[in-house]
C-alpha cells in the first residue's frame, strides 16, 4: 500500500504521522503520478529479476511511504525500523529510476522479513547482542554521533541485506541489456562487486563477534 494523505483526520493517519515524526523528524507525503508509476515499475522489475525472492520479501512489507529529500534520514535513500514493522520509507529523490526503486524495495523488505524472524526470538539471544563490541561500518558516515557503529543485531540485518543485494545486482547487470528498453538505463543500484564486498566484510565481523 502506498501511503497517501487522503484522510488527514482519521485515527490511523494521526497515529501514523506521530510515529513517523517521533522517529524520523519528518512527515511522509503523497507521491505524484510519476512517483507512483516508478514504484509500480520498480516492483515489476524486481519480480522480473528475482521472481522467487521478490514475493517472499515483499510479503513482509505492507506500507511504503515517500518522504522529503531534506531532513534527518540516517544518510540513506530508504529506511525501515523494527519498531514500525511492515512499513518503510523512500526519499522522493530516489524515485528517479526503476532500478533504484527495485533495490530500495528489496533492501527494506529484506529488513522487514528479518524483523519478523527476530521478533520470534529464534535467532538472537534476549539481549539482542548488545553486549558485543560495536562494529564500524566504513561506508556509512559517522555524522559526529557514532551512526556508523552497529551492534551485532544491526550487523546481522545489514549482512542479510547485502547478501540479497549482491544477488539482485548480479542478475541486474547480467540482464541489463535485455531489460533497459523497458526500464531505462541501469542506474541507482549498488554494483555487485561492492555488494559482495560489503557482505563479506559484515559476515567476517559476525564471525569474530
Amino acid at each position: 500500500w502506498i501511503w497517501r494523505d487522503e484522510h488527514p483526520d482519521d485515527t490511523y493517519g494521526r497515529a501514523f504521522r506521530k510515529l513517523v515524526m517521533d522517529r524520523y523528524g519528518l512527515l511522509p507525503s503523497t507521491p505524484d503520478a510519476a512517483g507512483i508509476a516508478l514504484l509500480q515499475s520498480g516492483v515489476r522489475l524486481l519480480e522480473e529479476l528475482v521472481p522467487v525472492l521478490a514475493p517472499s520479501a515483499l510479503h513482509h512489507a505492507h506500507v511504503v511511504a515517500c518522504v522529503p529529500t531534506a531532513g534527518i534520514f540516517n544518510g540513506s535513500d530508504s529506511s525501515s525500523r523494527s519498531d514500525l514493522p511492515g512499513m518503510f520509507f523512500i526519499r522522493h529523490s530516489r524515485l528517479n529510476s526503476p532500478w533504484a526503486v527495485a533495490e530500495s524495495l528489496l533492501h527494506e523488505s529484506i529488513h522487514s522479513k528479518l524483523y519478523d524472524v527476530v521478533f520470534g526470538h529464534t535467532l538472537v539471544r534476549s539481549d539482542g547482542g548488545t553486549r558485543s563490541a560495536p562494529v564500524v561500518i566504513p561506508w556509512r558516515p559517522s555524522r559526529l554521533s557514532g551512526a556508523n557503529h552497529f551492534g551485532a543485531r544491526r550487523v546481522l540485518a545489514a549482512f542479510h541485506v547485502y547478501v540479497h543485494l549482491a544477488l539482485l545486482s548480479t542478475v541486474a547487470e547480467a540482464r541489463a541489456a535485455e531489460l533497459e528498453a523497458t526500464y531505462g538505463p541501469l542506474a541507482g543500484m549498488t554494483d555487485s562487486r561492492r555488494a559482495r564486498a560489503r557482505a563479506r566484510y559484515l559476515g567476517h565481523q559476525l564471525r569474530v563477534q
Side-chain angles (χ1 to χ4, degrees):
W1 179 50
I2 300 173
W3 168 260
R4 294 176 174 87
D5 270 341
E6 293 175 351
H7 305 289
D9 295 323
D10 66 4
T11 302
Y12 177 82
R14 290 194 299 271
F16 183 79
R17 290 185 189 86
K18 183 178 188 309
L19 288 169
V20 176
M21 177 59 75
D22 287 349
R23 287 155 176 77
Y24 287 107
L26 48 75
L27 289 174
S29 58
T30 302
D32 59 19
I36 292 172
L38 269 167
L39 287 168
Q40 294 169 335
S41 183
V43 171
R44 290 194 300 271
L45 176 58
L46 185 60
E47 292 172 339
E48 177 81 27
L49 293 171
V50 282
V52 175
L53 174 60
S56 172
L58 291 172
H59 176 75
H60 297 265
H62 307 297
V63 179
V64 56
C66 296
V67 296
T69 298
I72 299 172
F73 208 47
N74 295 327
S76 301
D77 291 313
S78 61
S79 182
S80 59
R81 296 172 57 107
S82 59
D83 56 1
L84 290 174
M87 303 177 185
F88 61 87
F89 306 87
I90 297 178
R91 287 189 188 275
H92 283 288
S93 58
R94 187 67 166 168
L95 302 180
N96 57 11
S97 162
W99 303 86
V101 171
E103 179 180 285
S104 290
L105 290 172
L106 182 64
H107 187 142
E108 303 307 336
S109 296
I110 287 294
H111 274 323
S112 295
K113 185 173 184 177
L114 185 60
Y115 297 151
D116 288 347
V117 174
V118 170
F119 284 154
H121 302 292
T122 58
L123 257 181
V124 297
R125 60 177 183 256
S126 59
D127 69 353
T130 56
R131 291 179 294 184
S132 60
V135 171
V136 176
I137 306 301
W139 57 87
R140 290 180 62 97
S142 67
R143 298 187 179 275
L144 304 179
S145 61
N148 64 339
H149 287 67
F150 285 12
R153 180 176 288 186
R154 288 194 71 187
V155 174
L156 174 63
F159 172 72
H160 189 234
V161 163
Y162 277 107
V163 167
H164 288 84
L165 292 188
L167 169 64
L168 176 67
S169 55
T170 298
V171 176
E173 289 162 8
R175 298 191 61 193
E178 168 196 351
L179 296 172
E180 283 179 338
T182 301
Y183 296 101
L186 172 57
M189 275 191 174
T190 303
D191 67 80
S192 60
R193 180 179 298 180
R194 180 177 299 178
R196 289 195 298 269
R198 291 180 177 182
R200 283 194 295 269
Y201 174 81
L202 294 162
H204 172 73
Q205 296 300 324
L206 286 171
R207 287 194 297 271
V208 300
Q209 283 291 315

